[in-house]
Amino acid sequence: MSFPQSFLDDLRARVGLADIVGTSVKLIKRGREYSGLCPFHSEKSPSFTVNEQKGFYHCFGCGAHGDVISFVMNTRGLTFVEAVEVLANQVGMDVPKPSREAQEREQKAKTLYEVMEAATAFFEKTLRMPEGKEGLAYFHQRGLDDKTIAEFRLGFAPDNRGALKAALKREGIDEKLMVEAGLLIEPEENGRQSYDRFRGRVMFPILDRRGRVVAFGGRVMGDGKPKYLNSPDTPLFHKGRLLYGLPQAREASRQDAPIIVTEGYMDVIALHRAGFRGAVAPLGTAVTEEQIGELWKMTNEPVLCLDGDAAGKRAAVRAAERALPILRPGKSLVFSILPEGEDPDSLMAAPDGFNSFRKIIEQAVPLAELVWRMEVGAHKIDTPERRAALEATINQRISVIADEAVRSQYNSMFRDRIWKLFKGDRGSKPANRTGNRGGYQNKKSGWGGKRGKNDHFWGPAGKAVPGMSRPPMQKKRDLQDSILLLTLINHPALHDDIGEQLGIYSCADSALDNLRRAVLKLLDDDPGLDCETIKAHLERDGLSETVLRVVSADVIAHAAFAKPETPLERALTGWKQVFSMAVSSLEDEEAKYAVRQLAADTSEEEWERFSHRREDLAQRREKVFKLDD
């Protein structure tokens, strides 16, 4: 029985070779490889090595050599088919049944690779022709030289509905293959001709692990929408599994280069040009579990380097939530947040960009620290009930970790930090809320960037001054926050206009702020949700009580524009008016709080925090409302 090569490639990619070998061989990590006593012959000194990045094992004593499938065959006495079935069952893959159709699909996949290669060559050629001059000027304007353009095989799709289709037809490529490869769009209406998917865009070929072109990303010229367009899922391409820049990063990881996950194609290229050749990017989605597994094949702790805006911070939280259930000993993530308004591309263009970026990466925050800040920054701890709520929330967050050893370590560490946090909140010499961060601590800002409105989350949480908690939330502020959330729930189409503003805002009441984050996460993941579906999701997530507060008749009575039937433009105008008032109230509240904190603690550390708060308050109004421009 033979299996499709694509299935075997995928199986080898998903299964951790060191994990499988480690079940029968005690392995010790030595540099980029593992070593141990060979299971195929008797020896006292280890001559057996495992190279997970290259996907093979080798014994220098007896010459045994192979991949994960042959290892299972030889150690368990299984046939090839049986070994494949065992491994596929471990990672939840369905084993394809032998059939003529499967063989035909495999042959077609080989043909599709040829189709994608022909399309890449066409886009590359067009970039150097008169119709591609706009694209070439764009790349040059972004600082790319001809060597970089050639290395990443960048190209241009002319603004013509049939240019690629005609060019590939002249090479004898069937139109149906172009559709199947995602290069053409076939209208549902009978009688209408298929047409090029990518038009008037600079083109970024997306490669699989073996360096074959399997998809494209295209950036529009000008202000058209969408700004970036990726290939759809095809027999060759699944966007949740691959990473842009993966083949180059795999090679760089063999020289122990750091693996850095950034947000966009140009960010990856800019980092490669600067010497960070382990840079990769997800393909238009949040980082998935499969992509995290791919990263772990290259390094134990990849760095997620995200933009310093609200969207980048939400992406960090989503990545943390997806990583927690699949953590295992030695495998984790660390997080770097760039200065607000910067991205890797803009940093690399600065005179000392390399050193600036290197320092940011060196100050990366471990996943455990991020989880701590996610919860501590969102909770008050001034009453026994609120402390119990924080402890319960953290325990619930940790409970999703499947690996027992890792979960136990998280429980132990957070129990200790919670004890220190609560002790510091009661004692005369308060403890720092974030506890000991070890080598990752950045005392100035915690994330290598400017202090911002959400530094209670992204930077150090500060001291807890005895007897000095934030003043209780007034009914007016509670009402304003409820109106802001109700308007978005009833008008999810406003997410593009107000999502970023609401993302850098925080509600005074922790329940309302949890609801704010939940609504934004839902719309980030699926912008097409309607209001009833959003409410159903929120109720399913245990937020029904808070939703009822927000959709109450009392709230609607103060904001008729928030009703579902209100036209979008009118709802947006009303939302902005309430948001302006809420921000002003927040600034007054925080200014008073900062003065009281300084009065209670006149140390240099508290004075520095007061100065930062004062600067924040002076800049916040300009920063928040600048988003409307």
Side-chain angles (χ1 to χ4, degrees), residues 330-576:
K331 301 291 186 181
S332 189
L333 302 175
V334 294
F335 296 81
S336 284
I337 295 294
L338 296 171
E340 193 161 347
E342 299 280 6
D343 57 33
D345 190 18
S346 64
L347 275 178
M348 291 304 106
D352 196 30
F354 178 89
N355 288 327
S356 298
F357 186 78
R358 180 176 54 80
K359 289 177 182 177
I360 290 171
I361 295 300
E362 289 173 353
Q363 295 167 344
V365 175
L367 173 60
E369 175 64 24
L370 176 65
V371 173
W372 175 257
R373 295 183 190 182
M374 283 166 57
E375 303 307 340
V376 173
H379 285 77
K380 295 180 181 180
I381 56 168
D382 55 345
T383 68
E385 295 84 0
R386 287 172 174 170
R387 292 179 180 181
L390 170 61
E391 192 167 6
T393 301
I394 289 177
N395 289 336
Q396 182 179 8
R397 178 77 70 179
I398 296 171
S399 69
V400 304
I401 300 174
D403 186 276
E404 185 176 349
V406 176
R407 187 174 65 252
S408 174
Q409 290 297 325
Y410 267 73
N411 276 321
S412 176
M413 186 187 78
F414 284 154
R415 273 198 305 270
D416 181 59
R417 294 182 75 168
I418 288 172
W419 182 83
K420 290 179 180 177
L421 174 66
F422 292 168
K423 178 184 178 184
D425 198 47
R426 291 192 300 268
S428 59
K429 269 185 103 175
N432 187 292
R433 285 189 176 215
T434 57
N436 178 18
R437 286 188 292 279
Y440 287 95
Q441 183 174 4
N442 173 12
K443 294 180 181 177
K444 191 169 184 180
S445 71
W447 282 80
K450 296 184 295 184
R451 295 177 65 89
K453 181 174 184 350
N454 286 332
D455 275 352
H456 69 282
F457 183 89
W458 304 106
K463 289 185 177 181
V465 180
M468 292 290 292
S469 61
R470 284 181 178 260
M473 183 189 67
Q474 297 178 353
K475 186 176 180 180
K476 177 182 176 183
R477 177 75 191 283
D478 189 358
L479 178 62
Q480 289 171 339
D481 290 347
S482 297
I483 291 171
L484 295 176
L485 297 177
L486 176 62
T487 307
L488 181 57
I489 291 172
N490 282 343
H491 300 275
L494 291 179
H495 180 252
D496 286 342
D497 294 306
I498 66 178
E500 190 169 358
Q501 288 172 296
L502 201 54
I504 64 174
Y505 177 83
S506 60
C507 301
D509 180 81
S510 59
L512 289 176
D513 204 53
N514 286 337
L515 181 64
R516 175 188 65 86
R517 289 189 289 166
V519 174
L520 289 173
K521 183 178 185 301
L522 285 171
L523 291 173
D524 281 344
D525 292 341
D526 189 352
L529 294 176
D530 59 34
C531 63
E532 293 305 319
T533 306
I534 290 172
K535 292 175 187 175
H537 277 292
L538 295 172
E539 291 174 2
R540 181 201 62 193
D541 293 338
L543 296 170
S544 56
E545 184 176 340
T546 312
V547 172
L548 289 175
R549 279 177 59 189
V550 167
V551 302
S552 68
D554 183 57
V555 174
I556 295 176
H558 287 84
F561 63 82
K563 294 179 179 178
E565 62 270 19
T566 305
L568 278 180
E569 185 175 351
R570 184 176 165 192
L572 178 59
T573 300
W575 187 94
K576 287 183 175 180

Side-chain angles (χ1 to χ4, degrees), residues 181-198:
L183 299 173
L184 302 184
I185 294 176
E186 191 171 43
E188 295 181 0
E189 299 89 339
N190 291 331
R192 291 188 60 192
Q193 294 293 315
S194 61
Y195 55 92
D196 291 2
R197 180 179 299 276
F198 299 100

Side-chain angles (χ1 to χ4, degrees), residues 155 157 198-206 215-221 226-231 265:
F198 299 100
R199 305 180 303 280
R201 294 175 181 270
V202 288
M203 300 298 291
F204 300 83
I206 298 167
F216 292 98
R219 187 197 189 281
V220 72
M221 297 286 90
K227 184 178 179 180
Y228 280 96
L229 177 67
N230 285 336
S231 293
Y265 302 126

